[in-house]
Amino acid sequence: MPAWLNDAVFYEIYPQSFQDSNGDGIGDLNGIIRRLDDIKALGCNALWLNPCFRSPFGDAGYDVSDYCLIAPRYGTNEDAEALFAKAHEKGIRVLLDLVPGHTSWEHPWFKASMQAGENEFTSRYVWTDSIWEEPAGYGSLRGISDRDGSCAVNFFTHQPALNYGFYRPDRPWQQPMDAPGPLATREAMKQVMRFWLDLGCDGFRVDMAGSLVKGDPEGKGTIALWRDFRAFLDREYPDAALISEWGEPDKSLLGGFHMDFLLHFGPSRYNDLFRCEKPYFAGEGDASAFVAKYLDSCEKSGGKGLICIPSGNHDMDRLSRHIPSHRLKLCFAFLLSMPGAPFIYYGDEIGMRYVEHLASVEGGYSRTGSRSPMQWDDTENAGFSTAPKEKLYIPQDESPNRPTVRAQRADESSLWHEIRRLIQLRRAHPALQSEGAIAFLSDGAQGRPLAYTRTQGRQRILVALNPASRPQALPVPAGHLLYCQGDAPTLVGDTLTLAPGSAVFMQLI
Ligand code: GLC
Ligand code: CA
């Protein structure tokens, strides 16, 4: 595992909504460069950028039409190189978003694969051999080509599935994983990775990573495929990191991913904590199913790789849509003290709100409200852009009390400062970092506190969190107070009593 992941704290940037540098209403790479110091001030030392490649933007850039070209609206490949270099000067790593499962239907590969005659791209996508047969289990594109066949899609209709083969082919048109077509797709994706790593990026967040091999319900083929990608990286780019959008660490980490996300979909019970009818961190929920599943995943992934818990992302509701503002700091006490590298979604550090009732933008649909432009200060468009308001990529939160970075930086008691302090604490204590071990003392059943120890070498730290609106007590080992959020706890003998909505970190002896 690349050593830098141990103390990495990631910041996810949705490039179109972060900082516009040329007044066209849409964020861009030069804007990100301008904001690197703000990210550094918070304490993050790694970025994940959502796709910034050429695209017709039917799915906000997850429909790539050229993997090796920065979309003109974001800048140029030279700007990307400059971003990598400037970020590195400041000690910040940069992951790009790799979308290996599908392209846009406008990608030249797909156009070539639609032709009736055999060519280099005939097997680049998953086509049946007759228009009258659809690829069972997948949506499909039909009647759009001279080629006789239907093509499987991976997500939206305009995102045809790239061909990595079938785990157990049982129709003549289903190719095995080691057939020439699937192997060529695999090689093409390695070339894309080489291209950006050579320009200076530090790795990739991999979109829909579990979806590549078809007819593979247990993921065995896809796991084997990623092992090959990992071996390639270990050979050629040992410092590069891969994180999967998979949500099943017992598969992804065995497949060689350095990190996997817990997500709003999949079996992790992540939603129990932050996004359900009674989220644990809102005060009355239950974290025990999450903890049980988490421990099970740790065991099944055999200590390989990191399980990463994000504050949110561009696909889920903003954290603040489900957690009351007076509990947001507590969420971050959790997120920043768990194993795995934490991921902060841009704007969550100031509690940016989900913007309700927006028209869908670029295939965002209900996700659009979580993608509104960053709120930096109290100037026009919150400092995001000098464009007229109606030209902004997505309308902003219009409430007069919308949070901004400037206001929160000026207030030591803000969420922004609390997160900054928590990141500093993590930096200063190896036990709290990605690879420190975890053991639970209390699993947060029925609103009870969540408590765990983190251990690295001889350093042991206890974390205790009480989201409930009543004081709660729990027995703890001996130690001294390291950090406290909210009202102070009392410690009598071995009984720690946590104030309502408070967090306590203790250094154990
Ligand atoms: C992933 C992305 C999402 C995108 C989809 C299709 O889930 O995070 O934004 O729409 O894949 O690429
Ligand atoms: Ca711009």
Side-chain angles (χ1 to χ4, degrees):
M1 169 135 66
W4 61 271
L5 291 179
N6 191 40
D7 77 337
V9 178
F10 282 88
Y11 189 83
E12 177 189 347
I13 293 181
Y14 199 63
Q16 49 272 62
S17 295
F18 196 59
Q19 178 67 60
D20 175 18
S21 72
N22 61 353
D24 63 357
I26 192 151
D28 45 56
L29 298 187
N30 281 323
I32 298 175
I33 293 177
R34 227 165 77 192
R35 290 297 183 180
L36 287 173
D37 284 332
D38 291 85
I39 296 165
K40 195 176 160 104
L42 185 64
C44 292
N45 57 3
L47 305 177
W48 153 31
L49 267 48
N50 293 100
C52 44
F53 315 107
R54 196 172 77 159
S55 165
F57 294 104
D59 184 12
Y62 282 95
D63 47 333
V64 177
S65 61
D66 186 339
Y67 283 105
C68 295
L69 189 73
I70 294 291
R73 73 187 203 180
Y74 298 136
T76 61
N77 285 17
E78 288 68 39
D79 296 335
E81 245 182 298
L83 168 60
F84 304 146
K86 297 239 163 74
H88 291 164
E89 272 169 32
K90 296 177 194 295
I92 297 173
R93 312 267 178 165
V94 185
L95 302 188
L96 295 179
D97 209 315
L98 184 73
V99 190
H102 48 268
T103 66
S104 159
W105 59 12
E106 290 186 17
H107 196 292
W109 296 347
F110 187 64
K111 292 193 172 152
S113 87
M114 284 164 70
Q115 290 167 15
E118 195 62 41
N119 62 55
E120 189 188 341
F121 300 101
T122 299
S123 295
R124 181 58 49 98
Y125 297 82
V126 182
W127 286 88
T128 65
D129 53 10
S130 154
I131 187 79
W132 312 120
E133 179 173 354
E134 291 189 72
Y138 302 91
S140 74
L141 281 163
R142 306 169 65 223
I144 58 160
S145 62
D146 291 336
R147 177 177 181 162
D148 186 8
S150 316
C151 183
V153 302
N154 227 29
F155 196 67
F156 290 151
T157 307
H158 52 72
Q159 291 162 319
L162 285 162
N163 181 21
Y164 294 88
F166 279 70
Y167 187 55
R168 285 212 176 86
D170 66 359
R171 301 284 302 143
W173 52 269
Q174 298 185 351
Q175 303 177 354
M177 290 173 63
D178 59 357
L183 287 181
T185 310
R186 201 189 281 203
E187 195 46 45
M189 216 39 72
K190 287 180 188 164
Q191 273 309 109
V192 171
M193 292 165 91
R194 282 191 189 100
F195 182 85
W196 292 108
L197 290 166
D198 288 344
L199 281 191
C201 92
D202 298 285
F204 304 92
R205 174 269 188 185
V206 179
D207 188 66
M208 292 179 67
S211 74
L212 302 196
V213 176
K214 302 305 183 200
D216 182 27
E218 289 166 46
K220 288 187 179 158
T222 301
I223 289 172
L225 178 73
W226 282 111
R227 285 203 173 155
D228 176 54
F229 279 113
R230 170 66 184 269
F232 145 73
L233 282 186
D234 284 351
R235 247 182 348 257
E236 297 184 28
Y237 303 93
D239 219 27
L242 282 185
I243 177 158
S244 47
E245 184 200 30
W246 195 322
E248 294 180 70
D250 45 326
K251 294 182 180 150
S252 53
L253 300 182
L254 294 181
F257 277 97
H258 304 100
M259 310 178 265
D260 188 22
F261 284 117
L262 300 188
L263 292 162
H264 53 301
F265 59 84
S268 73
R269 308 295 300 247
Y270 167 84
N271 286 345
D272 292 10
L273 303 183
F274 304 115
R275 291 168 183 80
C276 64
E277 211 178 303
K278 274 187 178 182
Y280 176 74
F281 281 105
E284 293 302 324
D286 191 313
S288 59
F290 168 85
V291 170
K293 186 68 202 167
Y294 182 85
L295 289 172
D296 181 58
S297 297
C298 291
E299 199 186 307
K300 287 197 180 129
S301 52
K304 276 203 172 88
L306 306 177
I307 299 176
C308 298
I309 313 180
S311 70
N313 71 25
H314 61 291
D315 293 329
M316 37 179 139
D317 282 359
R318 283 270 180 199
L319 189 61
S320 62
R321 197 181 196 202
H322 300 270
I323 303 291
S325 55
H326 65 288
R327 288 290 183 270
L328 288 175
K329 289 177 182 170
L330 199 65
C331 295
F332 282 92
F334 169 75
L335 292 164
L336 292 165
S337 65
M338 283 292 283
F343 277 72
I344 301 174
Y345 182 50
Y346 84 95
D348 281 354
E349 75 274 30
I350 53 170
M352 251 173 74
R353 300 179 189 123
Y354 179 92
V355 183
E356 306 284 346
H357 315 300
L358 291 180
S360 176
V361 174
E362 294 186 344
Y365 304 101
S366 62
R367 306 175 293 184
T368 308
S370 298
R371 300 174 173 185
S372 64
M374 184 64 178
Q375 295 154 200
W376 294 103
D377 56 37
D378 57 5
T379 64
E380 217 187 339
N381 301 322
F384 163 67
S385 169
T386 56
K389 192 199 268 292
E390 59 284 356
K391 282 195 70 189
L392 298 190
Y393 175 69
I394 290 175
Q396 287 179 302
D397 178 0
E398 283 300 326
S399 31
N401 66 350
R402 66 184 175 194
T404 66
V405 173
R406 183 177 294 165
Q408 294 209 7
R409 284 185 73 163
D411 171 8
E412 280 288 326
S413 71
S414 67
L415 178 61
W416 190 93
H417 274 287
E418 202 63 49
I419 292 176
R420 183 187 59 75
R421 283 189 286 270
L422 283 161
I423 295 177
Q424 266 183 2
L425 198 66
R426 187 174 169 103
R427 279 282 143 64
H429 295 88
L432 291 175
Q433 295 171 8
S434 302
E435 297 184 281
I438 187 165
F440 285 88
L441 306 183
S442 173
D443 67 359
Q446 297 177 336
R448 294 269 307 134
L450 195 54
Y452 42 90
T453 55
R454 301 290 320 278
T455 308
Q456 185 66 268
R458 290 174 53 193
Q459 188 173 74
R460 267 180 85 209
I461 293 173
L462 168 88
V463 176
L465 311 166
N466 177 23
S469 44
R470 58 196 144 91
Q472 297 201 81
L474 80 161
V476 295
H480 63 263
L481 203 63
L482 191 60
Y483 165 86
C484 172
Q485 183 188 106
D487 290 339
T490 58
L491 184 60
V492 178
D494 71 348
T495 300
L496 177 74
T497 303
L498 294 158
S502 72
V504 168
F505 292 13
M506 281 171 61
Q507 178 117 33
L508 303 182
I509 33 183

